[in-house]
Amino acid sequence: MRGVECLFCAIAAGAQPAQIVLDDEVAVAFLDTRPVFKGHVLVVPREHAETLTDLPVPAVGPFFQRVQTVAAAVEEGLSAAGTFVAMNNRISQSVAHLHVHVVPRNRKDGLRGFFWPRMKYADEAEAASYAEKIRSALPG
């Protein structure tokens, strides 16, 4: 599933709107529209790969460097105490395009185990403000 058939490929191509926080030749990172906590980012490889095992070996390191960079930006940009970084492969994977969840965490935030309650942004302006905070914390 490539191109416009894949939601994340469409976002990476700019054909589908999203609150983008990182966009380069390797990956695109954007706010999850149904965040666990506000500032929850999805990092996807620019080239379509359904699962981690489908990602070409030479692409794994550069992709996870982007995940690491976004995790640091989420912490810094949102003054979060830490992050929860997770990935599903096929099971519980709502979009069949590899994606890594980077969720801001703080002590006593209510997240327990793998139960992920979802939130909503009040509006696009609030979502845009979270994306900007994270973007501004990216290096370079």
Side-chain angles (χ1 to χ4, degrees):
M1 183 178 280
R2 298 184 194 281
V4 293
E5 303 92 34
C6 172
L7 174 62
F8 293 169
C9 285
I11 290 171
Q16 180 73 29
Q19 292 292 337
I20 305 292
V21 298
L22 178 142
D23 185 354
D24 68 13
E25 70 284 355
V26 172
V28 178
F30 49 92
L31 293 183
D32 191 315
T33 58
R34 295 182 24 213
V36 173
F37 297 119
K38 293 175 181 180
H40 176 168
V41 175
L42 300 178
V43 184
V44 306
R46 179 168 289 288
E47 297 300 318
H48 185 86
E50 184 175 332
T51 68
L52 181 59
T53 56
D54 297 325
L55 190 65
V57 170
V60 172
F63 176 68
F64 277 96
Q65 287 174 335
R66 292 349 183 251
V67 173
Q68 183 181 49
T69 298
V70 168
V74 165
E75 287 185 24
E76 183 178 331
L78 302 179
S79 299
T83 56
F84 176 69
V85 178
M87 173 192 326
N88 291 304
N89 281 294
R90 290 187 189 88
I91 305 301
S92 296
Q93 190 177 5
S94 59
V95 175
H97 185 125
L98 174 66
H99 55 285
V100 176
H101 297 262
V102 179
V103 180
R105 294 294 314 273
N106 288 292
R107 296 199 190 295
K108 299 183 181 185
D109 60 16
L111 187 62
R112 300 212 188 297
F114 287 97
F115 174 69
W116 292 19
R118 297 298 184 132
M119 300 185 147
K120 291 185 176 191
Y121 293 98
D123 52 30
E124 279 299 306
E126 183 183 33
S129 74
Y130 274 81
E132 177 55 33
K133 288 175 186 176
I134 297 165
R135 262 194 311 273
S136 67
L138 291 169

